[in-house]
Amino acid sequence: MLLIHCPYCNETLPELEFTYAGQAHVVRPEQPSGQSDEQWEEFLFIRANVRGPHYERWRHFHGCGRFFNAVRDTVSDKFLTTYEADAPRPDLSSLTERQK
Amino acid sequence: MSQYRVSGRGRVDTSRPVTFTFDGKRFTGAQGDTVASALLANGVHLMGRSFKYHRPRGAVAAGSEEPNALIGTRRGPGRFEPNTRATVQEIWNGLETNSQNKYPSLKFDVGAVNDAAYMLFSAGFYYKTFMWPKNFWHKVYEPFIRAAAGLGVSPTEEDPDHYASRYLHCDVLIVGAGPTGIAAARAAAVDGLKVVLVDENAEAGGTLLSEPQAQIDGRPAWDWLAAELEALKAAGVKIMTRTTAIGYYHQNMIGMVEKLTDHLPELPEDTPRERMWRVRAKQVVLAQGALEKPLVFHGNDRPGVMLAGSAQTYLNRYGVLVGKRPVIVTSHDSAWFAAFDLQDAGAQVQAIVDLREGVHEALLSEARARGITVKLSHTATATSGRLRVSSLRVNPVSGGSVGAGEEIRCDAVLMSGGWTPSLHLFSHTKGSLAWDDDRTTFLPKDTPEDCLIAGASRGLWGVEAVLKDGAEKGREVAELLGKTPAQVAYSVAGDRTGTGISMKELPTDRSPGKAKAFVDYQNDVTAKDLRLAVREGMRSIEHVKRYTTNGMATDQGKMSNINGLNIAADALGKKQPQVGLTTFRPPYTPTSFGAFAGYHRGDHFEVTRKTQIDAWAEENGAVFEPVSQWRRAWYFPKAGEDMDAAVARECAATRKSVGIFDASTLGKIEVVGPDAVEFMNRMYTNPWTKLGVGKCRYGLLLGDDGYIRDDGVIGRLGQDKFHVTTTTGGAARVMNMMEDYLQTEWPDLNVWLTSTTEQWSTVALNGPNAAKLLAPLVEGVELTEETFPHMSCVECTVAGMPARLFRVSFTGEIGFEVNVPAPMGRQLWETLWEAGQQYGITAYGTETMHVLRAEKGYIIVGQDTDGTVTPYDAGMGWAVGKKKPDFVGMRGLARPDLRAKNRKQLVGLLTEDQSKLEEGAQIVFDPKQPVPMTMVGHVTSSYDTGTTGRPIALALVEGGHEKLGETVYIPMPDRTIAAKITSTIFVDPENARLKI
Amino acid sequence: MNAPVSSFTSGALVETSAARISKAPAIGRLSLRARGDLAPFDAALGVGLPLSIGQRASVDGTEILRLGPDEWTLTTPVPRTAQIEAAFAEIYEAHPHSLVDISGREVTFEIEGAQAAELLTLGCPRDIETILPGQGRRTVFDGVTVVLWRDAEDRFRMDVWQSFAPHVLALLDTGCRELAAQSH
């Protein structure tokens, strides 16, 4: 069972308080009706299948209730960082550097 | 005192005799004995039959690694457990135990014929022997193998015990309370650090319990141990015995199983049998020690052949001599000390046989002083004796050739092939291992966890060395936690340090192909099997393991892994690290299902949610059905009624007069804020801007893929306030989905969501008399067609209670839903029940609700839809706001596949023979086509009784909307049913009945 | 022990040497959601809203616990509920927010006694010791979302949605007896 740092509560808590919410930084287009079928397919269905650091979303469901983002290494299952939902995507090289 | 008990030795209390039975025979042991030590004290070595060959077996070890001595234990009805290790089970007065895998008796077992057929049952025999003919597997081979092979039988009665679980957070967890763990705990227990020290044994002390001769800091080991444990308790260390760390999971989460009652003669009330601890430690020190390896030679499994270190444990910890004329065979110094201890306790050691050419002079002189014969450069090539070893055959080895054999008479063979560091938990961390050539073993290297490994489990040997290492690691973790622990030094006299070598199977002068030299006792795997596996092409140790099943029994290869690796590596002509080590997986020792289930059984198996009105339903004879986590009243049978009769009555009464229904489980969400209407527009397919305050609308929720996710009636209670209802099962999911869009896609919207599912108890009244019944109880609104038409809502007072009143219908009749604060639900229900008596009010359950709604063609999301149904498929295009710029699912609905013709569409079905269809039944257009037929849809809802006078069904059928009036066919096992496609509305298509 | 909720009465439900569980009397509960400038809300309440998650404030028998970045739960004597609603309604136009009455949604169990904190470890995966006396958190107990108020080292309140309460109480009951049996 993982430990997850909630960026809103600023506490590191057991995974059982959280729910997984899929890949992060998949932005719903402002004007979905203006999307081509290909673009919409990409948005709806196409996801990364990363071996290594993966940008993903979690929700502190049994806590503050907020969705937030995380970078988790899918090989080691370790979180490199978590950050608020509206924060920019963190630079991977700085995170992996910190991990070493 | 029994024959083999040695006075003045051991930690058991011989003044407190304990009586138990083994295979029906009574035995007496001492308080503190295990079943194995008590049986050995009575001279009994034969404790079981082996898995495959049914060979007689005795205890080979003294701890949890025991592969042979598996027994069944019983404590009255229901309390039976198979495959318990006799070396771990403590005895208590009245304990019943029995041996396993034998017929008719342990001493004479017909299954032992397998042993004679040894040459047939070689590696991979399952794969080779039983391949053909195919149908023989089920009929012949499997029943035979199941009957002949195997361990204990599964219990058949319900387990009356209860099981518990707990979370525990600590700074330092130390696994293993031997000298290493104790020293680590002592060093780490500084400055308020929360330290937990855990050990699987009944008492702490580890190897010190078997080495009383050591003097630590000038005190005898056991005095030191007692004082040290007291000091640890005083320092606040939580010491947990009979508690096994079974698995090491991510981020220093350790699973531990505590056994609380298996050693007690009386079961204390309210005490669970076992408790699963889920421990989260900031730092972990693994001090699990090392496990002794057997030597691999012909007949090394005969009862009486056991590990030398275990014999030492039986003597020093339990005061039991495992034999009076033992012979020692070893490749490690440690067994020499076992010989000396047994000799000093009155045994006559027949010889010390050492594989090595030379050993330390100190050992030789100790042996000489005791008059023990020493045979260096000797190998063991056979044992004899039927149910107990009676002699060992040894041969000199010189320059790689094995000389003539010599029989040594004995009543026990004590062997040592050296020691394997216990790396199980370390391996669970995905820790890497490094091969150590000197010690011929794997040692721990790196781990990604906050974990240190200390003492014998990293290859150290001797009490002083491990105390020092334990203290160092304890200090290290305390420092990592920001503390400054004191330096502690230990001095040990009488320490038994030593070295040894690691062997493959021992050299022999006989045909190795015929040798029954066991590597894995529990799975009956021999050295020959391993070599055969390599000859037959297995190259990786993972393949060798699976082909031979070496290390795959419940002991997980604690004794066999390194011996197996040595042999496989030799057969492959490679170094061990090139062949690799198989993976250790949790649990460390076999763990009961009860421990994993914890509290979650019986009434506490899972949450059962009940409404405030549930108790009334129960008192009034309702039959319940589970709906997601809720239990809901299904129907209310009167005396003599079956379900069909009850539902028919409930339907008729509701259509004729008035029915009352508990709708409290519907999900409810309060949507509040200046952007509430914008949010609703974006979430739901329907337009909301023009919905007036005090009005409701049926809302349809899609996913962005365009498929129906949920539905419900939504009321506008204020300009900025909506009362949203969802399906019962969808409540949490819809709330999560809404929060997701709100928080991550539209954080700019000024609107908030609050779950009010359980704020309100909801009672639905339906039927021609609903308004008449309700009107006198309502203050604040008149219930007429003009003042409160269908699809209105209002905050008012009902029967004196603050209420939200909705005029909605899920039945096609005049309908109201009254919401009052949840705790008032039952009071409201009873008030309406009383007031409804004059109209013959009828309580109905979910089944009648389903029938009545189906008659009107109202869908149930999740029953008539399955996640691939669009609003258009469901015939609800009218609910889609086509002029809106966007809503969740709008773009999805424009996907080419979703606009395709011939999609499966929701229609009504009426069977030609008036029979009831089965829900889920497949539909075809042409019943005469060859099998496999082309299936064009399925029945989603089907009801026998109702108010239409005939069975009705809803179905998804390809292009169904274009096929009204056509006939489709539903092939069933016994016949094919023809049905006509109809509209989904079977009752009152004009909605005339909705009018007051 | 899966009795219907309505059968709970106020007062002690379980009592052993380890801990005592009772049902708290009915109280007003409000869920407040707001963001931006909080001063107007502080003024309406007569006390500053706690600024970090898990912190509490109180005024005149009203207690406020911050549950999330824009979420507070308020408990208050029943008659005060309407007053608070009225005060907030006045500032709604200028300072939009959501204030929802959830008085009926939950029951509160009072958990007190020498082993109260330990009792919670039967179902709470988080470290109870990180919730200091005077704080509170939303967390999970045996799979059920609860709000835990720590009033003292050995005294807690647990808010549970009505329909989950019997399940939670059943485990607390088992735990009270189990802990008491063990401490003998």
Side-chain angles (χ1 to χ4, degrees):
Chain A
M1 193 172 60
L2 303 173
L3 285 172
I4 301 175
H5 183 82
C6 172
Y8 294 95
C9 295
N10 197 24
E11 283 191 289
T12 301
L13 296 162
E15 185 185 335
L16 287 177
E17 290 201 358
F18 299 82
T19 49
Y20 185 69
Q23 187 176 323
H25 302 291
V26 178
V27 182
R28 190 175 187 270
E30 285 278 336
Q31 300 291 338
S33 48
Q35 296 274 298
S36 69
D37 284 340
E38 289 69 28
Q39 287 171 314
W40 193 244
E41 177 200 19
E42 178 80 20
F43 163 74
L44 267 187
F45 300 121
I46 307 302
R47 296 292 180 269
N49 184 14
V50 177
R51 188 180 192 281
H54 181 236
Y55 293 88
E56 61 191 22
R57 304 191 313 140
W58 288 79
R59 185 181 183 201
H60 192 187
F61 186 81
H62 299 288
C64 68
R66 305 308 291 187
F67 286 85
F68 60 88
N69 292 338
V71 185
R72 183 178 55 94
D73 188 316
T74 59
V75 177
S76 67
D77 221 1
K78 284 210 162 183
F79 283 90
L80 307 185
T81 187
T82 59
Y83 51 101
E84 296 188 2
D86 55 354
R89 186 195 293 252
D91 175 26
L92 209 51
S93 59
S94 71
L95 293 174
T96 43
E97 197 52 42
R98 211 189 311 161
Q99 197 189 18
K100 277 172 193 157
Chain B
M1 193 172 289
S2 57
Q3 225 181 334
Y4 290 87
R5 191 75 75 176
V6 186
S7 167
R9 293 279 190 146
R11 298 172 69 82
V12 296
D13 187 352
T14 49
S15 70
R16 292 166 68 197
V18 175
T19 309
F20 68 103
T21 64
F22 177 64
D23 281 344
K25 194 175 167 208
R26 284 166 67 86
F27 288 94
T28 302
Q31 184 65 39
D33 262 329
T34 62
V35 172
S37 70
L39 288 175
L40 291 170
N42 285 282
V44 176
H45 273 259
L46 177 64
M47 295 185 200
R49 289 272 174 175
S50 74
F51 178 70
K52 198 157 76 176
Y53 302 121
H54 289 239
R55 286 168 67 90
R57 290 280 167 82
V60 67
S64 69
E65 73 274 33
E66 173 61 35
N68 282 341
L70 303 183
I71 55 170
T73 61
R74 179 176 287 282
R75 183 204 295 265
R79 292 192 167 91
F80 169 76
E81 185 173 81
N83 302 333
T84 302
R85 286 143 296 158
T87 52
V88 171
Q89 175 65 49
E90 296 165 65
I91 57 169
W92 41 269
N93 273 314
L95 170 68
E96 294 170 49
T97 67
N98 65 274
S99 60
Q100 303 182 153
N101 201 27
K102 49 38 156 82
Y103 177 82
S105 78
L106 184 56
K107 288 187 181 172
F108 177 76
D109 169 38
V110 294
V113 67
N114 287 9
D115 192 25
Y118 170 58
M119 300 308 282
L120 293 177
F121 286 79
S122 58
F125 84 105
Y126 289 100
Y127 308 114
K128 296 172 193 161
T129 316
F130 303 113
M131 287 301 287
W132 184 89
K134 204 173 161 191
N135 62 356
F136 266 41
W137 176 254
H138 286 301
K139 288 179 185 150
V140 181
Y141 301 138
E142 193 183 357
F144 170 74
I145 292 168
R146 285 206 185 277
L151 303 170
V153 292
S154 298
T156 52
E157 300 148 303
E158 192 182 337
D159 182 350
D161 284 311
H162 83 270
Y163 296 82
S165 64
R166 212 61 89 68
Y167 293 96
L168 178 66
H169 299 261
C170 63
D171 294 305
V172 182
L173 173 70
I174 297 160
V175 180
T180 312
I182 289 171
R186 192 67 193 276
V190 288
D191 216 359
L193 285 185
K194 202 170 156 188
V195 178
V196 177
L197 176 62
V198 62
D199 197 286
E200 63 174 342
N201 290 290
E203 59 175 332
T207 186
L208 294 181
L209 300 174
S210 309
E211 294 209 30
Q213 87 294 335
Q215 300 263 330
I216 304 173
D217 294 340
R219 306 167 81 175
W222 289 359
D223 293 350
W224 179 88
L225 174 63
E228 202 62 15
L229 292 175
E230 279 312 308
L232 288 177
K233 280 178 206 156
V237 175
K238 183 182 174 82
I239 302 175
M240 302 173 72
T241 52
R242 298 190 181 92
T243 305
T244 306
I246 58 162
Y248 199 131
Y249 306 92
H250 284 302
Q251 288 171 289
N252 274 13
M253 168 112 179
I254 287 89
M256 312 198 310
V257 176
E258 179 182 18
K259 287 182 181 283
L260 290 107
T261 62
D262 276 2
H263 62 291
L264 299 176
E266 301 292 334
L267 293 179
E269 214 184 329
D270 293 331
T271 303
R273 177 172 176 238
E274 294 177 3
R275 178 182 289 128
M276 178 73 80
W277 291 86
R278 293 181 172 89
V279 184
R280 184 76 71 172
K282 293 198 179 89
Q283 295 287 334
V284 172
V285 178
L286 294 175
Q288 292 182 282
L291 295 171
E292 196 168 20
K293 280 178 297 190
L295 289 168
V296 180
F297 58 97
H298 180 67
N300 65 343
D301 64 326
R302 212 174 291 280
V305 181
M306 67 163 57
L307 295 167
S310 299
Q312 208 174 343
T313 294
Y314 283 116
L315 174 62
N316 291 326
R317 188 168 164 199
Y318 298 101
V320 174
L321 269 182
V322 298
K324 294 188 173 171
R325 290 174 294 113
V327 59
I328 279 74
V329 197
T330 184
S331 66
H332 194 277
D333 293 347
S334 63
W336 289 66
F337 295 109
F340 303 155
D341 280 359
L342 265 75
Q343 182 85 6
D344 296 348
Q348 290 170 309
V349 174
Q350 302 297 296
I352 299 175
V353 179
D354 201 311
L355 276 300
R356 298 171 293 176
E357 282 173 28
V359 298
H360 204 278
E361 177 52 36
L363 294 176
L364 293 170
S365 71
E366 288 265 2
R368 267 196 303 275
R370 288 173 173 85
I372 302 174
T373 307
V374 171
K375 291 177 183 292
L376 299 181
S377 296
H378 272 66
T379 181
T381 50
T383 62
S384 49
R386 195 171 84 85
L387 299 174
R388 170 85 184 260
V389 68
S390 60
S391 72
L392 175 73
R393 184 170 179 271
V394 302
N395 308 50
V397 182
S398 168
S401 69
V402 179
E406 166 199 359
E407 297 280 336
I408 302 176
R409 302 286 300 170
C410 62
D411 63 354
V413 173
L414 310 184
M415 61 186 165
S416 178
W419 298 76
T420 308
S422 192
L423 294 170
H424 298 74
L425 289 185
F426 184 83
S427 296
H428 298 174
T429 70
K430 294 193 172 175
S432 62
L433 306 177
W435 179 255
D436 183 287
D437 243 344
D438 290 344
R439 296 181 181 86
T440 335
T441 194
F442 283 102
L443 291 180
K445 204 171 144 205
D446 298 316
T447 166
E449 297 290 343
D450 290 320
C451 162
L452 296 175
I453 185 161
S457 48
R458 66 178 196 98
L460 299 176
W461 200 244
V463 175
E464 185 168 291
V466 302
L467 282 170
K468 187 164 167 271
D469 194 47
E472 247 171 51
K473 299 299 186 290
R475 268 201 308 280
E476 200 175 327
V477 292
E479 279 164 8
L480 286 167
L481 293 166
K483 308 293 183 188
T484 39
Q487 291 276 343
V488 191
Y490 295 99
S491 72
V492 178
D495 202 359
R496 291 166 162 180
T497 56
T499 60
I501 57 170
S502 182
M503 305 292 297
K504 52 189 198 299
E505 69 270 54
L506 301 191
T508 179
D509 57 340
R510 294 177 167 180
S511 161
K514 288 194 174 135
K516 291 171 187 172
F518 286 89
V519 179
D520 182 330
Y521 291 105
Q522 211 179 47
N523 267 353
D524 272 347
V525 180
T526 62
K528 187 201 82 169
D529 294 328
L530 292 163
R531 290 191 181 272
L532 182 65
V534 168
R535 272 206 309 282
E536 294 189 348
M538 308 302 144
R539 290 296 174 266
S540 153
I541 194 68
E542 297 285 0
H543 289 145
V544 172
K545 165 182 164 172
R546 281 158 185 80
Y547 198 58
T548 61
T549 72
N550 191 55
M552 285 171 68
T554 63
D555 66 342
Q556 289 211 35
K558 288 187 179 66
M559 289 184 183
S560 58
N561 270 347
I562 295 293
N563 280 338
L565 176 61
N566 286 349
I567 293 164
D570 183 67
L572 285 162
K574 286 182 179 172
K575 298 278 288 177
Q576 288 88 337
Q578 270 83 61
V579 181
L581 186 64
T582 55
T583 312
F584 294 110
R585 292 192 177 85
Y588 175 68
T589 50
T591 303
S592 72
F593 285 111
F596 285 110
Y599 298 105
H600 297 127
R601 56 178 300 195
D603 279 352
H604 211 78
F605 178 62
E606 65 170 356
V607 174
T608 301
R609 302 175 69 181
K610 296 175 187 170
T611 71
Q612 303 284 325
I613 294 151
D614 176 275
W616 186 94
E618 187 166 306
E619 289 158 25
N620 286 275
V623 176
F624 293 92
E625 69 164 341
V627 180
S628 64
Q629 285 179 315
W630 293 93
R631 74 162 200 174
R632 301 192 70 183
W634 194 10
Y635 56 97
F636 291 82
K638 293 198 164 166
E641 276 186 340
D642 62 6
M643 179 167 161
D644 286 345
V647 170
R649 174 181 49 74
E650 291 170 16
C651 286
T654 303
R655 292 242 186 268
K656 196 168 146 239
S657 180
V658 62
I660 185 168
F661 177 69
D662 179 7
S664 303
T665 62
L666 285 183
K668 300 167 209 79
I669 300 167
E670 193 95 327
V671 178
V672 177
D675 292 325
V677 72
E678 174 60 19
F679 177 72
M680 294 302 297
N681 278 333
R682 293 190 195 182
M683 286 308 303
Y684 281 84
T685 60
N686 323 62
W688 299 94
T689 310
K690 289 184 183 157
L691 183 72
V693 173
K695 297 292 172 201
C696 334
R697 181 164 286 167
Y698 171 81
L700 201 51
L701 183 74
L702 312 184
D704 252 328
D705 51 15
Y707 297 129
I708 294 173
R709 289 291 195 281
D710 201 76
D711 67 350
V713 169
I714 293 157
R716 190 168 197 173
L717 292 169
Q719 198 57 35
D720 295 354
K721 183 160 87 170
F722 288 83
H723 177 113
V724 173
T725 68
T726 74
T727 58
T728 294
R733 197 168 54 238
V734 170
M735 183 77 181
N736 191 67
M737 176 179 167
M738 287 185 174
E739 280 287 349
D740 193 349
Y741 276 91
L742 187 54
Q743 289 184 30
T744 49
E745 303 296 348
W746 313 316
D748 52 313
L749 290 187
N750 253 334
V751 58
W752 292 272
L753 315 173
T754 305
S755 171
T756 49
T757 301
E758 298 222 35
Q759 165 65 20
W760 304 105
S761 282
T762 308
V763 179
L765 285 175
N766 280 275
N769 288 321
K772 269 182 253 170
L773 189 169
L774 190 58
L777 298 168
V778 177
E779 293 167 49
V781 62
E782 261 191 276
L783 302 189
T784 67
E785 201 54 49
E786 295 68 39
T787 51
F788 199 63
H790 186 58
M791 298 310 266
S792 299
C793 61
V794 67
E795 293 184 272
C796 62
T797 302
V798 175
M801 296 169 234
R804 287 182 177 178
L805 179 62
F806 285 70
R807 183 163 168 207
V808 293
S809 177
F810 199 44
T811 59
E813 302 299 321
I814 296 164
F816 296 93
E817 285 179 8
V818 190
N819 297 274
V820 294
M824 299 177 183
R826 180 156 179 178
Q827 193 193 331
L828 172 72
W829 178 278
E830 290 184 352
T831 305
L832 295 172
W833 183 252
E834 282 309 311
Q837 289 309 310
Q838 56 180 312
Y839 303 107
I841 190 169
T842 298
Y844 65 90
T846 48
E847 188 65 18
T848 290
M849 178 267 279
H850 279 202
V851 176
L852 296 178
R853 66 88 204 176
E855 289 177 347
K856 285 291 291 181
Y858 298 145
I859 63 161
I860 290 193
V861 173
Q863 177 165 337
D864 301 301
T865 72
D866 61 2
T868 66
V869 176
T870 70
Y872 299 106
D873 299 339
M876 298 200 298
W878 51 265
V880 179
K882 290 157 199 76
K883 290 183 188 147
K884 298 206 293 182
D886 185 33
F887 58 82
V888 174
M890 188 181 188
R891 177 63 186 85
L893 283 175
R895 289 155 61 203
D897 282 356
L898 273 64
R899 304 173 135 227
K901 287 216 179 292
N902 257 8
R903 288 184 57 80
K904 287 182 183 168
Q905 293 161 335
L906 193 71
V907 294
L909 288 184
L910 291 173
T911 52
E912 286 182 0
D913 63 356
Q914 308 258 324
S915 66
K916 184 194 162 200
L917 293 170
E918 248 181 65
E919 287 179 0
Q922 293 292 324
I923 298 167
V924 301
F925 288 141
D926 172 14
K928 298 200 176 74
Q929 63 184 303
V931 177
M933 298 189 189
T934 303
M935 295 177 288
V936 295
H938 70 277
V939 179
T940 62
S941 292
S942 176
Y943 304 98
D944 199 6
T945 51
T947 47
T948 53
R950 58 176 301 167
I952 57 162
L954 299 176
L956 286 165
V957 177
E958 270 180 23
H961 291 164
E962 305 283 304
K963 293 189 161 64
L964 292 187
E966 293 181 24
T967 301
V968 290
Y969 299 88
I970 298 93
M972 298 301 287
D974 56 341
R975 68 208 168 103
T976 295
I977 304 170
K980 198 161 82 176
I981 295 181
T982 69
S983 145
T984 56
I985 305 171
F986 301 95
V987 165
D988 187 26
E990 304 79 25
N991 287 332
R993 301 182 64 86
L994 290 174
K995 294 242 168 23
I996 294 178
Chain C
M1 171 62 75
N2 229 334
V5 194
S6 46
S7 70
F8 297 165
T9 45
S10 294
L13 299 165
V14 194
E15 185 161 10
T16 71
S17 60
R20 179 186 131 103
I21 316 292
S22 38
K23 186 191 173 194
I27 196 164
R29 300 170 205 271
L30 296 163
S31 171
L32 171 65
R33 307 291 299 274
R35 57 189 174 199
D37 178 17
L38 299 177
F41 304 102
D42 297 349
L45 274 170
V47 67
L49 289 170
L51 293 175
S52 58
I53 294 170
Q55 300 299 316
R56 284 157 59 173
S58 71
V59 58
D60 298 340
T62 299
E63 288 194 275
I64 306 143
L65 167 62
R66 188 166 196 156
L67 293 176
D70 64 351
E71 182 180 5
W72 292 262
T73 191
L74 280 61
T75 64
T76 188
V78 177
R80 275 277 289 156
T81 315
Q83 294 168 23
I84 294 172
E85 283 176 327
F88 276 69
E90 284 201 11
I91 58 172
Y92 177 83
E93 283 299 327
H95 304 281
H97 62 271
S98 160
L99 186 73
V100 177
D101 188 341
I102 50 165
S103 307
R105 191 174 75 175
E106 291 158 29
V107 293
T108 296
F109 294 123
E110 293 167 341
I111 303 164
E112 54 201 312
Q115 289 175 278
E118 199 173 349
L119 177 61
L120 295 173
T121 69
L122 268 71
C124 277
R126 70 168 288 152
D127 188 358
I128 301 299
E129 295 312 312
T130 59
I131 305 174
L132 303 178
Q135 296 185 348
R137 295 288 195 288
R138 187 156 48 202
T139 181
V140 62
F141 183 84
D142 197 30
V144 176
T145 305
V146 299
V147 173
L148 206 54
W149 306 66
R150 188 170 205 171
D151 293 327
E153 202 60 50
D154 60 353
R155 211 167 72 239
F156 297 84
R157 277 173 290 156
M158 183 191 277
D159 301 341
V160 190
W161 285 13
Q162 297 272 5
S163 70
F164 293 100
H167 179 86
V168 167
L169 181 63
L171 184 54
L172 291 172
D173 174 72
T174 301
C176 272
R177 288 184 285 114
E178 184 186 313
L179 287 171
Q182 286 251 269
S183 53
H184 286 159

